[in-house]
Amino acid sequence: MTPSDVPARRRRGPALIALARFQLAGYLRSLRFMQPLIPVLLIVVLVLKEWSNDPRHVDAATGSLGDAAVLTFLIGAWVARSLLDTQPDEQRALSITAAGHPVLSAAAGLLAAYTVALCLGLLLLAAPLLQCLSVGVPPTPMLAGVGLTALVAFSGTALGALTQRAIIPSPGYALPALLCGVTTALLLSLGPLAPLSVPMTGWLRAAHDGPSAFVQAFPGLALHLILWNTALTAVLFFLTRRPR
C-alpha cells in the first residue's frame, strides 16, 4: 500500500455512510417503506389484542420472541429487494462511480436495507417484549431475543439483496428467485441440511422450550447466523464486484 492509498481508504467509511443515507432517503421519499410497514403494524396490533384477551405464561411469551424472528427474516428479504430496486439503473451507475468501487456501493445498499429491516424487526418485537415483561420473563431471554432479531434481520436482508435488479435484471425472474430463496431456507431448516440454512427450527424450538433453554441455545444460534450471514455477504459482494 502506497502513502497515496491511505487517504482513499480513510474516505471509504464516510462514502459508505453517505451512500447508505442517500439510498435510505430515496426509499423513504418513494413511500415504498409503507409496503412492509403496514403488515408489521397489523401483526403488532393483532398480537397485542390476542394477548389482552388471553394473557400468556412465561414459556409462551418467550416462544413469541422466536416467532417474531421468523417474521423478521421474511420482512428483511422483502425490504432488501424493495429498497435496492428503488434507484434507477443510471443512478446506480453514478453511485458506483461516486463510491469508486462496486463492492463499496453494494455495501452501502446492504447497510441501508439492513437499517430498515432492523427497525421493522424491532417494531415487530415490541409486542413479544411487552408480553415477556408482563409475565415476568427475566431480562436475559429478552436480550437474547433482541440479539436474535438483529442477526436474523441481516440474514433476510442479505438473502433479499441477492435478488436485486443489479444481479437479476428481469423482474419476472427476480421475484420467483426471492420466493424460492426464502422457501428453500425455510425447508432446509426443517431437515438434515439445516446447517446450510438459517437455524429457524433451532431458535423456534429453543424459544418455545422456555427462557432457560433459549438463553443456553442462543450462543450456538448466534454463531450459526453469523457464519450464514458472512457467506451470503461474500456471495453478494462477489456478484457485484463488477458493474453490469
Side-chain angles (χ1 to χ4, degrees):
M1 183 177 64
T2 63
S4 60
D5 293 329
V6 176
R9 290 180 178 273
R10 290 179 178 176
R11 288 196 297 268
R12 289 180 182 178
L16 176 68
I17 300 300
L19 281 174
R21 292 177 59 185
F22 177 72
Q23 295 196 39
L24 187 58
Y27 181 67
L28 295 177
R29 284 198 300 268
S30 69
L31 298 182
R32 286 193 177 189
F33 72 94
M34 296 297 294
Q35 297 174 359
L37 178 61
I38 291 174
V40 167
L41 292 177
L42 289 175
I43 291 171
V44 172
V45 170
L46 290 174
V47 170
L48 289 176
K49 182 178 180 181
E50 179 185 358
W51 168 56
S52 63
N53 294 332
D54 183 20
R56 301 182 175 188
H57 54 80
V58 172
D59 288 354
T62 307
S64 64
L65 298 174
D67 298 337
V70 176
L71 295 174
T72 299
F73 177 74
L74 301 176
I75 291 292
W78 182 9
V79 164
R81 183 174 180 275
S82 176
L83 186 147
L84 295 174
D85 286 350
T86 297
Q87 59 178 348
D89 295 335
E90 295 80 4
Q91 184 175 310
R92 183 183 301 109
L94 290 174
S95 297
I96 294 175
T97 302
H101 199 282
V103 171
L104 184 60
S105 178
L110 188 65
L111 176 60
Y114 175 63
T115 300
V116 177
L118 180 60
C119 291
L120 292 175
L122 293 177
L123 178 60
L124 197 61
L125 193 64
L129 288 176
L130 288 174
Q131 294 175 3
C132 290
L133 285 172
S134 67
V135 297
V137 174
T140 306
M142 289 190 285
L143 291 175
V146 174
L148 179 64
T149 296
L151 291 170
V152 171
F154 190 89
S155 301
T157 300
L159 182 60
L162 290 173
T163 65
Q164 61 179 293
R165 193 170 64 248
I167 296 176
I168 306 178
S170 172
Y173 291 106
L175 183 57
L178 177 63
L179 296 176
C180 289
V182 171
T183 303
T184 301
L186 296 177
L187 293 178
L188 286 178
S189 68
L190 301 175
L193 297 178
L196 301 178
S197 181
V198 289
M200 196 169 300
T201 303
W203 80 60
L204 284 173
R205 183 183 297 113
H208 285 275
D209 283 345
S212 299
F214 186 43
V215 171
Q216 292 175 3
F218 178 74
L221 294 170
L223 178 60
H224 188 155
L225 286 167
I226 289 172
L227 294 175
W228 203 73
N229 293 347
T230 302
L232 283 186
T233 304
V235 172
L236 175 64
F237 289 167
F238 175 78
L239 294 176
T240 58
R241 71 192 188 282
R242 293 179 181 176
R244 293 175 180 264

